[in-house]
Amino acid sequence: MTFIPQLGAGWSTALAASLVVAGSIFSTTSFAGPTLDKIKERGAIKVGVGTTPGFFAPDDNGRWQGFFIDYGRALAITVFGDPEKVEFTNSSPQQRLPALQAGEFDVLLSGVTVTISRAFQLGFHFGPTVFYDGQGILVRKDLGVNSAAELDGATIGVQSGTTGELNIADFFRKAGKKFTPVTIEETGEFINALETNRVDAITQDSSDLVGKRTQLKKPDDYVILPERLSKEPLAPAIAGGDDRWLEIVNWTVNATIQAEEWGITSKNVDEFLKSEDPAIQRFLGVDPSLAQSIGLDPKWAYTIIKAVGNYGEIFDRHLKPLGWDRGYNRLWTDGGLLYSPPFR
Amino acid sequence: MSVAESASLPSWRISLRLKPLWNGLFGTPLNTVLTILTLAFLAWLLPPLARWLVIDATWSGTAQDCTANSGACWTFVGAKLRFIVFAFYPPELQWRPLLVMVLLVSLLTGTALPRFWRRATLVAWPIVIGLCWLLMSGAGLLPAVSSNQWGGLPITLLVWTFCFGLAVPLAVLIALARRSRMGGLRTLAVLFIELMRGIPMVAILYVAMLLLPMAVPGGQHIDKTMRAIIMITLFWSAYVAEVVRAGLQAIPPGQEEAAAALGLGYWRTMQLVILPQALRQVIPGMVNLAIGFLLATSLLAVIGIFDLLNAARASATDPKWLGFYDETYLVAAVIYFVLCFGGSRYSRWLERYLRPARR
């Protein structure tokens, strides 16, 4: 029917963004109240999430599960001491950033890439990177392609409203090669396009490609090329204007990384309560002085580890079953990029 | 066999009763070709479909069993049906959205039957919809469920019924305004209709999601679903208004003049003479529009509301049951089809029912 628009999603992203600009003219007070006050008044954190297997998906009982979901629950523990005081709302890649600006969410845990323009132009603050991702290319093996540069003239599916569109164009321009982009909005349609040979390859953050590959009818006929076309550090994003809320996001993530560094897991955290190490005593609240001086519940980190686990546990629970390797997402002590500043 | 022969097959071979059927299928060369083409199409379509649906399908077990078989994975549907229908609504409170669906379907069925076309039905609409809202949210009487957790079929039905129910009275007023003799009012109505019809529904939803909270004082405190309902109602009312206007134009001007001659004022004329006839004429057109609107509710997904289609899609992203998109979309399609097919059969029946009244 005529009122169902056949829109390119790029168009709708631009529309959504321009609406927010228009809206901010109407009202300058919409970001006035600090986020944390609103959260406490409401009694729950509003978290924007996506739907990507392993990162966020509903389980059989209609409960959100996933890597980012666990970080949402961890935030609820830091603020309320209760992992359930959090509301997850699904948001599409096209509307998540305008919705964060409009104050629809307190934090976006939907796999947002940290970029300079998002920080400056959109005025977002980003927490620590929780997942180091990069854009990859998934191709059929029978194309006989071993590297992205050999894909001259190929038809490549890109998902609209993501940074992937830009990266692949940059990559091919730099390599002096040509390609035909096919913009696909619907996540499920992506795999279909590859299986029906509508496209020769699809490109997306490798986090998505790993999940997509397992959904193919014959996963072994497809391979993710070794190149990473981009750096995609995925981090929690919040609207500017509430420094304390930003610190809560920062240190909630850091706590899971620090706990893994110390070897504290959800199973052995109670034994660590007897630790003689003063740093661990401060971290777990055995010595409450640190938590009291920063105004958090002394047991906040303990409760997070007990309920959600450390970084490695969260990763292994949700991403390892999909065939994910820790890669860059190992601790700095193991040669990865995860590094928590000290708790003192 | 020649055409002449087939058209006059000896009656001892085919009973008289089957003869019209035979003539319909093979009576003329064109019919014969169409029949053979249809049969060939079915022969091409049905066996693989039956294999996928039944023969190679997996009826019990785990996702791994499903991947091993090439057919449909009905275990997945069994595990996920609850989620597809009710989405994130707490399972222990599931009777509430279930009751909402029963109430809404009864309301729609009741309204559809001419036997119930009376004032009581009109009164029932706000009561039933208010009751549905109470059941979904709790409204202080029942344990509260945030609209964030509403989803699936109840939300699709609720938004559809709510918006259409509000849009129709609004549309009647807009249609009357558009035919009004007051120039300013008429211009406003034309502007509103053209503006709404010139904007895609996605843009309307973005306005509800992003602009409304900032533009309206206290807008942030209005629930997101409610904001969507307000904007969709305004949007749909423009379409319904045009249908109503068509009905108004079909009434001969003599009727209005006759009413005026009897001393009836404008509102009495409209209420007693014009609208009963005009609305009666456009009911099939409105049912048709309503079916289209039902399908358009799937656009709610762009503002993160878990309508039926969005819930169906999300159910296939669970790592335990990865990628059973064919099955999940089939379930959603069957539900949409049942609703729309019911609507279109009703529309045809109603046209026949109303025909004598028009003559």
Side-chain angles (χ1 to χ4, degrees):
Chain A
M1 294 201 66
T2 46
F3 48 80
I4 302 177
Q6 298 296 315
L7 290 179
W11 187 91
S12 47
T13 313
L15 178 79
S18 59
L19 280 177
V20 164
V21 173
S24 51
I25 299 166
F26 280 104
S27 158
T28 48
T29 58
S30 58
F31 311 133
T35 316
L36 199 55
D37 287 351
K38 278 199 294 182
I39 293 172
K40 288 192 168 150
E41 191 192 317
R42 194 190 302 126
I45 307 173
K46 281 186 165 181
V47 179
V49 297
T51 37
T52 305
F55 290 93
F56 8 60
D59 67 9
D60 289 353
N61 300 317
R63 215 177 122 77
W64 283 102
Q65 299 292 356
F67 180 83
F68 280 109
I69 300 298
D70 278 354
Y71 276 99
R73 301 216 164 101
L75 281 172
I77 293 173
T78 312
V79 178
F80 296 109
D82 179 352
E84 299 307 316
K85 292 201 168 169
V86 56
E87 289 179 2
F88 296 105
T89 304
N90 184 238
S91 82
S92 65
Q94 289 81 33
Q95 60 113 21
R96 58 185 186 177
L97 300 181
L100 178 64
Q101 277 185 310
E104 195 68 37
F105 308 124
D106 301 317
V107 57
L108 261 186
L109 283 169
S110 65
V112 188
T113 304
V114 184
T115 67
I116 187 168
S117 59
R118 282 173 179 170
F120 276 89
Q121 292 171 357
L122 301 178
F124 290 161
H125 290 325
F126 291 97
T129 299
V130 286
F131 193 88
Y132 289 92
D133 202 357
Q135 189 176 340
I137 302 178
L138 180 67
V139 296
R140 276 198 315 281
K141 273 185 187 160
D142 59 21
L143 282 181
V145 172
N146 295 316
S147 82
E150 294 169 38
L151 278 171
D152 199 7
T155 306
I156 300 177
V158 293
Q159 191 167 22
S160 57
T162 61
T163 39
E165 246 172 322
L166 210 61
N167 292 333
I168 188 95
D170 284 355
F171 177 83
F172 274 87
R173 197 180 311 131
K174 248 190 282 176
K177 302 276 162 60
K178 282 202 165 54
F179 82 107
T180 314
V182 175
T183 309
I184 299 169
E185 171 143 23
E186 171 60 42
T187 311
E189 190 52 37
F190 227 56
I191 308 159
N192 213 340
L194 188 63
E195 281 191 324
T196 54
N197 293 352
R198 227 176 88 210
V199 295
D200 300 317
I202 57 177
T203 182
Q204 213 173 20
D205 290 358
S206 48
S207 55
D208 290 309
L209 289 182
V210 167
K212 296 236 157 72
R213 188 168 165 271
T214 62
Q215 294 171 44
L216 291 160
K217 290 195 183 74
K218 289 177 183 163
D220 295 337
D221 291 359
Y222 299 83
V223 64
I224 297 178
L225 295 177
E227 286 95 342
R228 291 293 172 265
L229 308 189
S230 65
K231 293 192 282 186
E232 305 285 347
L234 308 182
I238 67 170
D242 193 333
D243 296 349
R244 188 164 168 82
W245 174 228
L246 176 63
E247 292 310 336
I248 284 179
V249 173
N250 283 340
W251 290 93
T252 300
V253 174
N254 289 339
T256 63
I257 296 171
Q258 185 61 58
E260 186 180 10
E261 192 180 326
W262 276 326
I264 308 176
T265 68
S266 56
K267 292 181 188 68
N268 66 16
V269 63
D270 287 315
E271 292 158 36
F272 272 90
L273 289 175
K274 294 175 217 122
S275 167
E276 297 294 319
D277 186 338
I280 293 178
Q281 285 183 344
R282 281 195 301 269
F283 180 74
L284 293 177
V286 178
D287 169 5
S289 59
L290 175 70
Q292 277 161 0
S293 66
I294 57 176
L296 290 176
D297 182 80
K299 285 281 173 200
W300 71 278
Y302 167 86
T303 317
I304 288 175
I305 306 308
K306 184 87 181 163
V308 185
N310 67 33
Y311 185 94
E313 289 181 279
I314 297 173
F315 193 102
D316 289 350
R317 183 160 58 235
H318 299 296
L319 300 177
K320 209 176 171 188
L322 292 174
W324 263 103
D325 187 58
R326 284 288 287 266
Y328 292 127
N329 299 297
R330 279 172 302 192
L331 293 181
W332 64 290
T333 46
D334 300 333
L337 293 171
L338 297 179
Y339 181 101
S340 164
F343 278 71
R344 63 166 183 255
Chain B
M1 180 189 301
S2 81
V3 180
E5 261 177 4
S6 70
S8 57
L9 266 172
S11 54
W12 50 266
R13 281 187 62 190
I14 297 171
S15 80
L16 274 176
R17 200 182 272 179
L18 284 177
K19 206 168 174 187
L21 181 68
W22 176 265
N23 285 344
L25 292 176
F26 300 103
T28 67
L30 182 65
N31 284 7
T32 313
V33 169
L34 286 178
T35 305
I36 289 169
L37 277 180
T38 311
L39 285 177
F41 177 71
L42 288 178
W44 171 77
L45 180 77
L46 286 181
L49 193 66
R51 206 173 305 137
W52 186 78
L53 281 175
V54 186
I55 302 167
D56 289 343
T58 313
W59 299 90
S60 64
T62 62
Q64 281 69 38
D65 300 331
C66 286
T67 327
N69 294 345
S70 58
C73 182
W74 299 123
T75 349
F76 162 79
V77 174
K80 288 294 182 189
L81 191 62
R82 196 206 76 82
F83 182 81
I84 295 173
V85 175
F86 296 107
F88 291 104
Y89 211 88
E92 66 277 11
L93 302 173
Q94 203 166 290
W95 64 272
R96 281 158 56 179
L98 194 67
L99 188 59
V100 164
M101 288 199 287
V102 172
L103 280 171
L104 288 176
V105 171
S106 327
L107 179 70
L108 291 170
T109 320
T111 312
L113 296 174
R115 193 186 322 160
F116 294 108
W117 288 354
R118 53 175 94 126
R119 205 167 292 253
T121 313
L122 230 50
V123 180
W125 269 76
I127 294 175
V128 171
I129 286 179
L131 199 61
C132 288
W133 198 267
L134 186 151
L135 278 168
M136 290 299 279
S137 64
L141 302 170
L142 298 163
V145 177
S146 146
S147 72
N148 201 39
Q149 290 172 284
W150 303 6
L153 189 55
I155 200 83
T156 293
L157 284 177
L158 189 65
V159 170
W160 179 51
T161 321
F162 203 154
C163 293
F164 200 68
L166 284 174
V168 169
L170 192 61
V172 169
L173 292 179
I174 296 170
L176 288 177
R178 184 161 185 174
R179 282 171 49 86
S180 160
R181 286 188 207 91
M182 285 183 262
L185 193 62
R186 193 173 57 230
T187 315
L188 276 179
V190 171
L191 268 178
F192 175 80
I193 291 175
E194 293 308 325
L195 180 72
M196 283 299 169
R197 295 208 305 170
I199 301 177
M201 189 162 152
V202 169
I204 291 289
L205 289 172
Y206 279 136
V207 168
M209 173 87 177
L210 306 170
L211 248 183
L212 216 56
M214 293 193 251
V216 181
Q220 307 97 300
H221 303 298
I222 309 174
D223 183 82
K224 183 171 79 178
T225 314
M226 204 59 196
R227 294 199 310 254
I229 284 175
I230 294 170
M231 287 311 295
I232 295 174
T233 301
L234 291 175
F235 181 71
W236 287 0
S237 67
Y239 285 87
V240 181
E242 286 297 272
V243 173
V244 173
R245 188 169 67 102
L248 291 174
Q249 274 170 346
I251 309 296
Q255 301 237 0
E256 210 171 329
E257 288 157 16
L262 286 174
L264 292 180
Y266 175 79
W267 289 110
R268 301 280 289 168
T269 309
M270 287 302 146
Q271 189 197 337
L272 297 173
V273 181
I274 308 294
L275 282 177
Q277 300 181 73
L279 290 180
R280 195 171 259 259
Q281 300 233 11
V282 296
I283 286 172
M286 284 215 265
V287 174
N288 192 27
L289 213 49
I291 292 172
F293 288 152
L294 173 69
L295 299 177
T297 56
S298 59
L299 286 173
L300 286 170
V302 302
I303 59 165
I305 291 178
F306 256 81
D307 74 304
L308 176 62
L309 192 64
N310 200 15
R313 187 190 54 79
S315 70
T317 58
D318 182 354
K320 238 173 86 192
W321 300 97
L322 215 43
F324 293 107
Y325 286 105
D326 295 341
E327 291 83 352
T328 190
Y329 282 139
L330 186 68
V331 171
V334 166
I335 297 175
Y336 278 120
F337 179 80
V338 166
L339 291 170
C340 293
F341 188 69
S344 73
R345 295 306 296 183
Y346 165 71
S347 175
R348 290 190 58 185
W349 172 84
L350 196 68
E351 263 175 87
R352 256 178 291 136
Y353 176 88
L354 291 176
R355 204 167 290 149
R358 242 189 282 166
R359 279 189 189 143

